[in-house]
Amino acid sequence: MGFSPCPAGASCVGLLCYPRPRPLQNLLFLLWTLLSCSVGGSVQGPGEWTPWGSWTRCSSSCGRGVSVRSRRCIQFPGEEPCSGDSHEYRLCQLPDCSPGALPFRDLQCALYNGRPVLGTQETYQWVPFHGAPNQCDLNCLAEGQAFYHSFGRVLDGTPCSPGAQGLCVAGRCLSAGCDGVLGSGALEDRCGRCGGANDTCLFVQRVFRDAGAFSGYWNVTLIPMGARHIRVVQRSRNHLALMGSDGRYIFNGHWAVSPPGTYEAAGTQVVYTRAAGPEETLHAAGPTTQDLVLQVLLLEPNPGVQFEFWLPRERYGLFQAQAQVLGWALRQPQPREVEPQPPQLLEPSPMTRDPTRAPDPCPPCPDTRGRAHRLLHYCGSDFVFQARVLGSHRQAHETRYEVRILLIYKNRSPLRMREYVWAPGRCPCPPLAPHREYLLAVRRLVSPDGTQDRLLLPHAGYARPWSPAEDSRARLASRRCPV
């Protein structure tokens, strides 16, 4: 009789044993065998990996090194090899080496000091040589000689070159991904998640275009806590300014222009640049650990301040609520009362010249008719109301109107029966005549220190003589504003 490796009651297929089927199970057994085996009787498909083993100790006793773990491929005869790597390497970071410690590559070259090499009895003192093609070979230069020798691969965890971020592993120079695994290529997304898809944060991108009818500090936007990848650009003689949540300026505050450079703010580094273009930029990787207020110091009409940042989704609602608590919409400017600028700090601009000089005749106001203009100002304003002008008072760079509120179409906070409405410039556009009724769209402006709380009628804003027809147009505009 031939030898059978299977016990009684079992049948063999190749080297594997299966229970012997009963007569009623023959058909099922045959179908199962055909699905599991090829014509030659070998098992098909790739092998299977064992679970990963534990990570080894760090290859270095100080500084950076590598740790490795491995797994085995269980492969039966006829199976394909397992897909993937059998070893995985990750970066390990230990306390920095002492200043006098010998670098890891130097130690490996020094192992061959005083030992005969190259088939002769000559001995040399060896130091690292970094001019060879493969930087992960142990290339050592014989001191006092004009040649180097390659002693094979460097040990895993050796820096590829002095000051480089990559480490040599199995003869290859690899960099760690954001997951710490060497060669993984894993990158951090804009939300700060390793290997993410930018789906846990929102991209805030806007252009602050208010013309800035008078010089001084105007709020551009609130940069909330948690913001990442902050970028701001403006191209004019104006200056960006950044203020912390405590009200202290980080740069360009109090009418003094700070030098370009890197500033520490809200737990991140803010890089401020200024070119002769003129162009100013602000960059910060984030995330910010507290709120910041971005401002612009206007010395000339504002051509636009572009800003963008990424914000976690769960913080976006709080961002909007904070802006409303401050009393200004996300794209609304904030004037800041400032002292007359010192002549040694900034050159006077056309908007800040001596107010005692006789003003030029008021030029004609721009045409502001049309539905697009009405929708823009109605939807972008904080208040829309019908009011009668009781009087006006012209100051150096602005005009103050005293009005009586007759009918409110839109309001974000309570209004008194009598209010002051401020218009920039000595020649406001459009001008309001005393004792006449108007339909006005105004914005609420609160200074950062809370000492000024004003209703502002923007230059070339929405101020129409009230009539039943204008009343109907305003009510129609209210239904077309985005929610």
Side-chain angles (χ1 to χ4, degrees):
M1 293 179 62
F3 171 75
S4 174
C6 298
S11 60
C12 297
V13 178
L15 297 178
L16 301 179
C17 300
Y18 303 94
R20 182 172 296 154
R22 298 173 183 174
L24 295 179
Q25 297 174 325
N26 284 344
L27 180 60
L28 293 177
F29 175 74
L30 178 62
L31 291 176
W32 183 87
T33 303
L34 291 175
L35 292 174
S36 302
C37 304
S38 65
V39 175
S42 61
V43 180
Q44 299 297 302
E48 292 187 3
W49 289 109
T50 62
W52 284 106
S54 301
W55 290 101
T56 64
R57 294 177 59 184
C58 193
S59 63
S60 177
S61 59
C62 61
R64 297 191 312 152
V66 294
S67 179
V68 62
R69 65 178 181 176
S70 61
R71 57 183 178 176
R72 294 179 55 214
C73 179
I74 304 300
Q75 185 180 359
F76 290 103
E79 283 188 327
E80 298 176 4
C82 300
S83 177
D85 296 324
S86 61
H87 291 75
E88 194 171 63
Y89 303 85
R90 72 176 180 184
L91 181 69
C92 48
Q93 184 72 51
L94 298 175
D96 292 339
C97 300
S98 59
L102 202 63
F104 196 22
R105 191 182 289 261
D106 293 60
L107 285 173
Q108 296 172 61
C109 284
L111 292 175
Y112 297 93
N113 290 345
R115 296 173 55 182
V117 295
L118 306 178
T120 68
Q121 295 302 313
E122 295 288 337
T123 61
Y124 304 94
Q125 300 294 309
W126 301 95
V127 294
F129 176 67
H130 299 287
N134 190 345
Q135 54 189 347
C136 286
D137 283 345
L138 184 59
N139 303 305
C140 303
L141 179 71
E143 285 189 315
Q145 306 295 323
F147 68 90
Y148 75 92
H149 182 68
S150 179
F151 293 98
R153 293 177 178 176
V154 296
L155 296 177
D156 289 345
T158 303
C160 300
S161 60
Q165 293 298 313
L167 297 177
C168 290
V169 172
R172 296 182 300 159
C173 183
L174 301 177
S175 296
C178 58
D179 54 0
V181 176
L182 291 165
S184 69
L187 299 176
E188 193 176 81
D189 70 356
R190 292 294 186 176
C191 312
R193 290 184 60 196
C194 185
N198 301 328
D199 54 355
T200 61
C201 58
L202 295 173
F203 185 42
V204 178
Q205 182 183 46
R206 296 190 176 96
V207 180
F208 174 75
R209 297 188 182 277
D210 195 280
F214 57 87
S215 63
Y217 287 87
W218 290 63
N219 282 350
V220 175
T221 185
L222 175 75
I223 301 176
M225 180 176 65
R228 293 176 180 266
H229 303 286
I230 304 162
R231 179 177 176 270
V232 184
V233 179
Q234 75 90 15
R235 298 175 177 88
S236 70
R237 289 180 57 250
N238 302 323
H239 296 288
L240 299 173
L242 194 64
M243 179 188 291
S245 58
D246 57 358
R248 297 181 181 179
Y249 278 100
I250 296 156
F251 57 80
N252 290 349
H254 309 294
W255 292 91
V257 178
S258 306
T262 301
Y263 295 82
E264 296 287 339
T268 188
Q269 290 189 330
V270 179
V271 180
Y272 166 61
T273 65
R274 183 168 62 247
E279 178 180 285
E280 284 186 326
T281 65
L282 181 157
H283 296 270
T288 54
T289 56
Q290 59 181 337
D291 295 341
L292 295 171
V293 176
L294 176 67
Q295 297 182 330
V296 60
L297 173 57
L298 293 183
L299 304 177
E300 64 183 22
N302 171 34
V305 179
Q306 306 172 38
F307 64 90
E308 61 184 50
F309 53 83
W310 292 78
L311 194 63
R313 286 182 177 272
E314 64 270 17
R315 292 189 178 274
Y316 188 74
L318 179 61
F319 168 46
Q320 292 179 307
Q322 285 175 317
Q324 293 177 358
V325 168
L326 290 174
W328 45 288
L330 301 184
R331 289 179 287 180
Q332 301 303 323
Q334 295 300 300
R336 180 174 182 265
E337 294 299 318
V338 295
E339 298 296 328
Q341 59 187 40
Q344 70 272 18
L345 296 179
L346 294 174
E347 291 294 328
S349 69
M351 295 187 294
T352 58
R353 290 176 182 165
D354 186 4
T356 61
R357 184 180 303 175
D360 296 331
C362 294
C365 291
D367 188 0
T368 59
R369 294 173 296 180
R371 182 175 63 178
H373 182 270
R374 182 186 307 108
L375 285 173
L376 174 67
H377 284 274
Y378 191 106
C379 300
S381 65
D382 298 311
F383 303 94
V384 179
F385 51 76
Q386 175 192 354
R388 173 182 289 272
V389 179
L390 303 179
S392 63
H393 176 68
R394 290 190 176 184
Q395 299 180 359
H397 301 293
E398 55 193 354
T399 301
R400 186 190 70 188
Y401 294 103
E402 183 180 3
V403 301
R404 176 184 295 160
I405 308 296
L406 302 177
L407 179 63
I408 297 175
Y409 296 81
K410 174 184 178 181
N411 66 312
R412 293 188 175 177
S413 60
L415 289 170
R416 297 185 296 267
M417 182 177 295
R418 287 195 179 191
E419 293 279 3
Y420 286 122
V421 174
W422 301 79
R426 291 182 56 83
C427 297
C429 282
L432 304 183
H435 313 299
R436 293 196 60 182
E437 294 181 9
Y438 291 89
L439 202 152
L440 305 176
V442 301
R443 301 170 181 172
R444 184 187 180 195
L445 299 179
V446 182
S447 62
D449 56 7
T451 58
Q452 295 286 343
D453 188 347
R454 292 181 170 183
L455 299 182
L456 176 69
L457 177 63
H459 181 75
Y462 182 71
R464 307 285 177 83
W466 189 90
S467 67
E470 199 63 36
D471 173 83
S472 299
R473 297 187 188 105
R475 296 180 187 277
L476 181 61
S478 67
R479 296 196 292 268
R480 297 189 176 180
C481 292
V483 178

